[in-house]
Amino acid sequence: MCVAVLTALSLSVLGSTLADKHGVVKVQVDSDAILPCSSSTKENLVFKVFDWIKENDIQRDVFFYQSGVTSTGAEKFKGRVSYFTDELKNGNASIIIRNAKIEDSGNYTCVFPRLVPEKRFHVELVVEPVLKDRYGKIEGASPEPHMKIVKLPEDRMQLQCVVRGAFPKPEVEFQDSAGNVLPAEEPKVLESGQRYTVILIATVTKTDDFRCVAKQKEIHHETFAETYVSVRDKHVDVTGWFSGGVLLGVLLGVLLLAAFQALLVRTKRIKIHKGKFMSCININIMCRHQQNTSFHFSSSQIKDSLCLYLHS
């Protein structure tokens, strides 16, 4: 849990009042805030009296201490305010407000009523809102959006997002994995029984993780749904085309060779000799062969001969 601490306050004496220069403590909602109050003399406060109040608030009593006896005044602070027991001997009367709420923001005063002269310390508390999923905890907080993917022509995908049952009306947007907001169509808003349904549509052309985010800033609520979209790359798959081309070339080569052989046989320009293991087609000269299934040619014979090996 986060705790925000204000650095040492600059104090000055104004008449009979010891005041600060209005230091500010900033915390996020639901975190803990420390409101500092410490005498410059570091006087032991164990058997003293100090009182914390919130200015301009009907429930102004925050915390009261008197010689080890403590009490919390306003109902809204009960169970949420404590002090530093071990620091009293060092003149530290700071308090902690746990689980700070937006309505805790305001000006606080730490008073030492029985000191002469009376001493006061002033500090301002600012509780900043945080957007988070509050569905089921706050009335009107929208549930998780519903996302749908629709395939479009020309390697495009359409994202559809529906947010239902929200009040107040949510802001809805698409984001990519880097958190960039995507351009989208004008949202369609339907209202029924003080509940809003928002439909948002966007078109994407790249592979990525996409989110549909719904925000209701008035109640500090945010929720989202996420989906993965795969879009085919526009470049041509050269490897596949090349493999197919090679196979087609081989087939065409075989057919052309067979046609060429048939033409030579028909015009009686070749003789076909069939051996025990294979056949050899000779052009103008005969191929030398052995008893084995292989043939041997000299360089001059290769220039004048074409042999086809055919298993018998």
Side-chain angles (χ1 to χ4, degrees):
M1 185 172 290
C2 301
V3 178
V5 184
L6 184 67
T7 56
L9 296 175
S10 174
L11 303 178
S12 61
V13 178
L14 300 177
S16 61
T17 304
L18 191 61
D20 68 343
K21 292 184 179 180
H22 302 287
V24 178
V25 174
K26 290 185 178 181
V27 299
Q28 293 184 337
V29 70
D30 295 330
S31 64
D32 294 348
I34 294 180
L35 305 186
C37 177
S38 182
S39 171
S40 58
T41 61
K42 305 298 181 183
E43 183 179 358
N44 189 334
L45 302 177
V46 173
F47 300 103
K48 303 295 182 179
V49 177
F50 63 88
D51 190 16
W52 275 93
I53 60 175
K54 185 180 180 185
E55 305 290 349
N56 303 316
D57 194 318
I58 297 177
Q59 300 184 55
R60 65 194 308 266
D61 296 323
V62 179
F63 183 79
F64 181 79
Y65 174 92
Q66 181 175 4
S67 301
V69 179
T70 64
S71 64
T72 303
E75 184 66 29
K76 64 182 180 181
F77 290 113
K78 288 193 179 297
R80 295 199 296 128
V81 181
S82 59
Y83 66 106
F84 298 92
T85 307
D86 296 336
E87 289 296 318
L88 290 177
K89 62 181 180 293
N90 299 319
N92 188 352
S94 303
I95 60 172
I96 303 175
I97 299 180
R98 302 192 183 280
N99 301 318
K101 307 176 186 299
I102 298 294
E103 53 268 29
D104 290 337
S105 296
N107 295 308
Y108 291 77
T109 301
C110 172
V111 184
F112 294 92
R114 296 184 182 178
L115 293 183
V116 180
E118 181 184 85
K119 294 181 181 179
R120 291 174 174 260
F121 295 83
H122 302 280
V123 61
E124 180 183 1
L125 173 62
V126 177
V127 182
E128 300 175 331
V130 175
L131 294 178
K132 67 178 184 179
D133 193 342
R134 302 175 190 274
Y135 176 65
K137 299 178 181 179
I138 296 181
E139 185 178 358
S142 66
E144 180 180 308
H146 174 72
M147 292 188 70
K148 181 180 179 181
I149 303 174
V150 178
K151 182 175 177 56
L152 299 177
E154 301 178 358
D155 299 327
R156 297 178 302 155
M157 293 291 184
Q158 184 183 84
L159 297 177
Q160 299 180 357
C161 178
V162 181
V163 180
R164 296 186 175 91
F167 183 84
K169 183 174 68 175
E171 299 176 10
V172 183
E173 63 186 21
F174 286 111
Q175 299 177 358
D176 62 15
S177 59
N180 300 313
V181 178
L182 306 181
E185 299 178 7
E186 189 70 22
K188 298 177 181 178
V189 181
L190 306 176
E191 184 177 2
S192 176
Q194 293 187 339
R195 287 288 189 271
Y196 291 92
T197 295
V198 179
I199 303 172
L200 190 65
I201 296 175
T203 300
V204 297
T205 57
K206 68 175 183 178
T207 298
D208 202 353
D209 291 309
F210 295 97
R211 282 185 176 187
C212 175
V213 182
K215 301 178 182 179
Q216 293 169 279
K217 295 180 180 179
E218 297 88 345
I219 57 175
H220 317 302
H221 170 66
E222 177 180 300
T223 184
F224 68 90
E226 190 171 33
T227 188
Y228 175 77
V229 176
S230 178
V231 179
R232 188 178 65 180
D233 292 337
K234 293 185 179 180
H235 69 272
V236 178
D237 188 356
V238 178
T239 304
W241 281 39
F242 179 78
S243 301
V246 170
L247 179 59
L248 181 60
V250 171
L251 293 176
L252 289 176
V254 172
L255 292 175
L256 288 173
L257 188 58
F260 180 66
Q261 176 187 349
L263 177 62
L264 293 179
V265 171
R266 187 171 182 180
T267 57
K268 300 181 180 181
R269 297 184 62 182
I270 66 170
K271 296 179 181 180
I272 299 179
H273 297 270
K274 295 184 177 179
K276 183 177 181 181
F277 298 103
M278 60 199 67
S279 297
C280 178
I281 301 174
N282 299 320
I283 303 177
N284 295 330
I285 66 171
M286 300 294 296
C287 296
R288 297 169 53 201
H289 65 275
Q290 299 178 349
Q291 284 294 105
N292 298 332
T293 60
S294 61
F295 292 82
H296 301 274
F297 303 95
S298 65
S299 6
S300 60
Q301 288 174 320
I302 292 176
K303 296 179 181 179
D304 301 320
S305 302
L306 172 64
C307 293
L308 297 176
Y309 298 97
L310 304 172
H311 291 286
S312 302

